[in-house]
Amino acid sequence: MIELTPENYYSLETDWDYMSNTQFKNFQKCEAKELARLKGEWEPETKSSSTNGNPLIMGNFVHSYFESKESHEAFIEANKAELTSSRGKTAGKLKAPYKKAETMIKTLEDDELFDYFYKPGEKESIVTGEIDGVAWKGKLDSMSLDKGYVCDLKTVDDIHKRHYNPEERRWVSFVEDYGYHMQMALYQELVRQTYGKVLTPLMFAVSKQDVPDKIAIDFEKEDDKQLMREAMDKIKANQQHYRKVMMGEEEPKACGHCEYCRRIKKLSKFTHAIDIEVF
Ligand SMILES: [Zn+2]
């Protein structure tokens, strides 16, 4: 197995050796799409919007700032083309969405609670572990081993926006919609295996609204802990199948609706008008 470093952590190569939270979530959404991504046959597109920029770059802009001055400068240098405008009076200046990222940073930076919990922690530490024989990797935004907690930082459109959960037919928050209970449960377990300590998971979120909102989240309520336990059960119930799909031992299921599935779609039958699925 390849040893994980900050350079290879996000590579396809290490994704074949270690399962990650993102990879597991991708498999849950569409096994065919995730297998194609792992094989390098298909790359997900992250679209830039004129108001919110590219969500990945937006997130990394904020993250790298709180990591270190060097990381932030290196990030800006590496993404100059996307971050800055190239013509007119504003040439060389940050584009509007990324100016917003600076406002988001300021919102957090001025906050004492954020300053106390997030700032001092060790940034971007890599943890690994084994769950029922499958190797996993995780990267922690900010970990305070001595104080006993680990923090994750999220950039979201609107903290209080409702998201529909079709399985349970109810509205949920962004935390449930993006499966963050699973991420927190997983990180807690990987830290326990790496350092022998059970840390309290915490999350800070900052919104992309013109006047950014922010929130400090814990997972201490019994219902949150229950969702974390259920998430670990879900991992244990599905990971072997995903590994077998990767090894070519089991067929990947295609969701039939995602960008990848639409791209390779061929019509082979008729659907009764009354049976068209709606989500
Ligand atoms: Zn699909």
Side-chain angles (χ1 to χ4, degrees):
M1 287 218 319
I2 311 165
E3 199 179 327
L4 292 169
T5 63
E7 289 72 35
N8 71 16
Y9 181 86
Y10 291 110
S11 69
L12 279 179
E13 206 183 4
T14 60
D15 280 349
W16 280 91
D17 280 354
Y18 303 86
M19 188 74 84
S20 69
N21 179 60
T22 309
Q23 198 180 336
F24 189 88
K25 276 203 297 198
N26 289 345
F27 267 126
Q28 281 186 301
K29 281 185 209 142
C30 181
E31 296 174 12
K33 178 167 83 172
E34 180 57 6
L35 186 65
R37 188 193 70 85
L38 287 164
K39 286 183 171 172
E41 295 167 355
W42 179 82
E43 226 177 304
E45 262 180 64
T46 47
K47 293 180 194 86
S48 288
S49 89
S50 54
T51 47
N52 278 342
N54 178 314
L56 266 183
I57 294 195
M58 192 79 165
N60 286 337
F61 192 101
V62 177
H63 273 89
S64 64
Y65 180 87
F66 291 107
E67 195 186 330
S68 68
K69 200 167 182 279
E70 297 74 43
S71 302
H72 195 55
E73 279 167 5
F75 167 80
I76 289 175
E77 190 53 40
N79 294 282
K80 232 177 187 160
E82 165 69 20
L83 293 170
T84 54
S85 46
S86 54
R87 53 181 87 180
K89 256 190 274 173
T90 56
K93 297 243 173 70
L94 278 180
K95 286 181 195 162
Y98 304 112
K99 261 191 224 146
K100 198 188 285 179
E102 287 192 317
T103 320
M104 291 158 74
I105 288 170
K106 181 127 188 17
T107 306
L108 292 172
E109 193 156 57
D110 292 345
D111 192 279
E112 282 178 25
L113 191 82
F114 179 80
D115 194 67
Y116 179 84
F117 282 94
Y118 191 92
K119 274 225 193 120
E122 191 188 323
K123 305 297 185 302
E124 304 291 326
S125 37
I126 294 170
V127 283
T128 55
E130 220 180 89
I131 297 168
D132 286 355
V134 175
W136 282 75
K137 62 177 175 180
K139 209 174 192 201
L140 312 170
D141 285 347
S142 175
M143 174 180 68
S144 297
L145 210 49
D146 48 332
K147 292 181 191 148
Y149 52 78
V150 57
C151 298
D152 207 78
L153 177 58
K154 303 291 184 198
T155 51
V156 295
D157 294 340
D158 175 347
I159 289 163
H160 298 288
K161 192 167 100 180
R162 58 184 193 169
H163 302 254
Y164 192 65
N165 180 329
E167 279 162 43
E168 298 179 28
R169 298 180 177 199
R170 63 182 180 99
W171 297 97
V172 296
S173 75
F174 75 96
V175 172
E176 277 190 69
D177 191 45
Y178 296 136
Y180 290 152
H181 286 88
M182 179 178 287
Q183 190 184 356
M184 295 298 103
L186 191 61
Y187 286 3
Q188 193 177 47
E189 174 59 16
L190 296 181
V191 169
R192 190 190 67 78
Q193 290 190 29
T194 308
Y195 297 104
K197 264 183 113 169
V198 177
L199 303 188
T200 303
L202 301 171
M203 185 177 276
F204 287 91
V206 58
S207 80
K208 298 172 189 169
Q209 290 153 303
D210 288 338
V211 179
D213 196 1
K214 59 191 164 186
I215 188 170
I217 305 164
D218 70 38
F219 296 79
E220 293 303 296
K221 206 170 173 181
E222 188 45 40
D223 285 354
D224 285 308
K225 292 186 174 174
Q226 179 61 25
L227 285 177
M228 283 170 66
R229 285 191 291 269
E230 285 172 13
M232 285 306 283
D233 291 342
K234 207 175 256 177
I235 285 175
K236 288 173 187 167
N238 293 294
Q239 59 172 4
Q240 296 295 351
H241 169 61
Y242 298 157
R243 286 302 298 180
K244 282 181 183 159
V245 165
M246 289 171 72
M247 296 307 146
E249 294 161 15
E250 282 176 21
E251 281 299 309
K253 279 189 228 83
C255 77
H257 308 290
C258 71
E259 198 186 308
Y260 173 77
C261 287
R262 294 199 305 267
R263 198 158 289 180
I264 60 163
K265 194 168 191 173
K266 283 192 181 70
L267 293 175
S268 60
K269 64 178 174 61
F270 286 85
T271 300
H272 301 307
I274 204 74
D275 291 341
I276 297 171
E277 287 178 286
V278 292
F279 303 112

